[in-house]
């Protein structure tokens, strides 16, 4: 439903919190492969370019400058410290967010709860705690947080699949079906911190920065093979989708650390994904081939969360949560899980 807009906003393929879908290009009745003979003119021209001395110099200069540009635009992601290639300025991200925001508002018209609705206020309070935690997190670029008009939108549409996302301009959308799976404040914090982490790590800009590189590789492959469809499948299977899964995993990690610093129970992240797994079993049919998916399998996400929990618990204990606050939140969330009236 919102996969296309969400892909534009986050730079990842159709963000749904349900299990990563098998990539659309691998399914359906339409054949995407356009087969041509391997001795086509494009391949011949490329071979001539390699054999020509001046052509080789041209290629060497082009790739040399491209490599220099790539190396000089590497930077580390917050918390995970992963090196990534980004050259797209923040302003372009914000413009994409503004465009996506208008489109999503038109599509969800009439389903968004009022700003003063108790559920909207509750989610807003949780989200702002996460933002405040990020402001005190070492290694976080404050420009990603400052001067942004954060705004929560609860889409009360029971027919929509569980979904949530944060646009680059600070507008947050959470669907009521996702809140049913969250069940409590810690579960909501797990979802919100993950989505917030996508923007904090500038995954939109990273994907936009890689787009010309993917196009260039596609052109090179096409000149060699002449098979456009196969080239696209190779790029998706080897580069695009693994990169998307890597960013989803990174957002899981960053989100878990941020929610822990914001005094939300990190253990709930595992329980939320267990509930998500049960939801997927009830609503989805067929096997999930992770290597064809834009998202890690839920089982893998649970394994990752369990691996990161010791570090998250340490952050939780070292933050200003306090023993009494943690106990109080635990009692409150347990009571909340027995009542689903607020979610409907």
């Amino acid at each position: 439903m919102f996969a296309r807009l969400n892909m534009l906003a986050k730079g990842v393929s159709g963000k749904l919190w349900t299990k990563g879908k098998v990539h659309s290009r691998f399914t359906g009745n339409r054949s995407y492969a356009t087969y041509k003979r391997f001795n086509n003119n494009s391949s011949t021209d490329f071979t001539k370019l390699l054999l020509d001395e001046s052509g080789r110099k041209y290629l060497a200069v082009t790739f040399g400058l491209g490599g220099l540009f790539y190396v000089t635009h590497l930077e580390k992601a917050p918390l995970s410290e992963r090196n990534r290639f980004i050259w797209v300025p923040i302003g372009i991200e914000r413009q994409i967010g503004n465009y996506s925001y208008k489109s999503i508002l038109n599509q969800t018209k009439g389903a968004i709860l009022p700003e003063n609705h108790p559920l909207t206020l509750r989610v807003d309070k949780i989200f702002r705690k996460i933002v405040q935690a990020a402001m005190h997190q070492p290694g976080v670029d404050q420009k990603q947080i400052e001067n942004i008009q954060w705004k929560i939108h609860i889409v009360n549409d029971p027919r929509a699949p569980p979904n949530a996302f944060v646009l680059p301009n600070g507008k947050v959308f959470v669907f009521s079906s996702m809140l049913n799976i969250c069940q409590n404040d810690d579960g909501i914090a797990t979802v919100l911190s993950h989505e917030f982490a996508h923007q904090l790590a500038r995954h939109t800009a990273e994907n936009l920065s890689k787009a010309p590189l993917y196009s260039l590789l596609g052109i090179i492959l096409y000149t060699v093979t002449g098979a456009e469809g196969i080239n696209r499948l190779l790029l998706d299977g080897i580069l695009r989708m693994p990169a998307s899964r890597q960013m989803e995993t990174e957002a899981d990690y960053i989100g878990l650390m941020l929610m822990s610093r914001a005094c939300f129970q990190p253990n709930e992240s595992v329980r939320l994904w267990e509930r998500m797994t049960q939801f997927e079993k009830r609503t989805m049919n067929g096997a999930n081939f992770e290597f064809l998916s834009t998202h890690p399998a839920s089982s893998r996400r649970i394994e990752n969360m369990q691996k990161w929990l010791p570090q998250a618990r340490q952050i939780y204990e070292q933050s200003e949560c306090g023993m009494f606050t943690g106990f109080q939140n635990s009692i409150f969330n347990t009571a909340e899980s027995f009542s689903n009236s607020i979610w409907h």
Side-chain angles (χ1 to χ4, degrees), residues 135-338:
M135 294 183 69
H136 296 89
Q137 175 65 46
V140 169
D141 185 2
Q142 298 299 316
K143 292 185 295 185
Q144 295 296 309
I145 306 173
E146 297 174 345
N147 303 320
I148 295 182
Q149 299 296 322
W150 304 102
K151 187 175 181 180
I152 301 294
H153 303 75
I154 305 299
V155 183
N156 188 24
D157 184 359
R159 298 170 299 175
N163 200 0
F165 48 89
V166 179
L167 298 177
N169 63 350
K171 303 305 182 284
V172 183
F173 286 82
V174 182
F175 288 74
S176 56
S177 51
M178 172 57 74
L179 294 175
N180 289 329
I181 297 176
C182 291
Q183 293 188 2
N184 53 57
D185 285 7
D186 295 320
I188 297 173
T190 301
V191 173
L192 292 177
S193 60
H194 169 93
E195 298 304 329
F196 176 68
H198 275 300
Q199 299 312 321
L200 197 64
R202 298 192 65 196
H203 287 161
T204 301
E206 183 176 352
N207 276 280
L208 289 173
S209 298
K210 291 178 180 178
L213 177 61
Y214 291 150
S215 298
L216 177 61
L217 290 175
I219 293 173
I220 293 175
L221 282 173
Y222 182 76
T223 61
V224 174
T225 66
E228 181 180 359
I230 292 179
N231 297 339
R232 188 183 299 119
L233 296 181
L234 286 173
L235 286 174
D236 286 346
I238 297 176
L239 294 177
R240 288 195 184 98
M241 286 186 284
S244 177
R245 291 194 296 270
Q246 183 183 42
M247 284 185 279
E248 289 296 328
T249 300
E250 183 173 65
D252 283 343
Y253 173 79
I254 295 175
L256 180 62
M257 301 307 147
L258 288 180
M259 68 175 285
S260 301
R261 186 173 293 278
C263 296
F264 294 101
Q265 287 287 347
N267 292 345
E268 187 62 26
S269 62
V270 174
R271 290 191 284 267
L272 179 132
W273 278 108
E274 289 173 345
R275 293 193 293 271
M276 182 62 72
T277 301
Q278 293 302 315
F279 171 84
E280 292 168 351
K281 289 180 179 179
R282 294 193 306 268
T283 59
M284 298 179 65
N285 297 319
N288 175 47
F289 299 100
E290 186 180 72
F291 70 98
L292 301 181
S293 172
T294 59
H295 291 58
S298 296
S299 58
R300 185 178 298 276
R301 300 179 98 153
I302 292 174
E303 292 176 2
N304 289 335
M305 293 291 182
Q306 291 173 334
K307 179 177 63 177
W308 301 327
L309 273 180
Q311 183 181 356
R313 292 194 191 103
Q314 185 177 12
I315 292 176
Y316 180 85
E317 295 297 332
Q318 292 175 351
S319 64
E320 299 178 356
C321 306
M323 208 176 202
F324 176 75
T325 303
F327 177 76
Q328 186 181 42
N329 288 339
S330 178
I331 295 296
F332 175 76
N333 289 333
T334 301
E336 281 282 304
S337 66
F338 287 100

Side-chain angles (χ1 to χ4, degrees), residues 101-112:
Y101 182 50
K102 294 178 182 178
S103 300
I104 296 171
L105 282 180
N106 289 332
Q107 295 195 37
T108 57
K109 188 180 299 181
I112 297 178

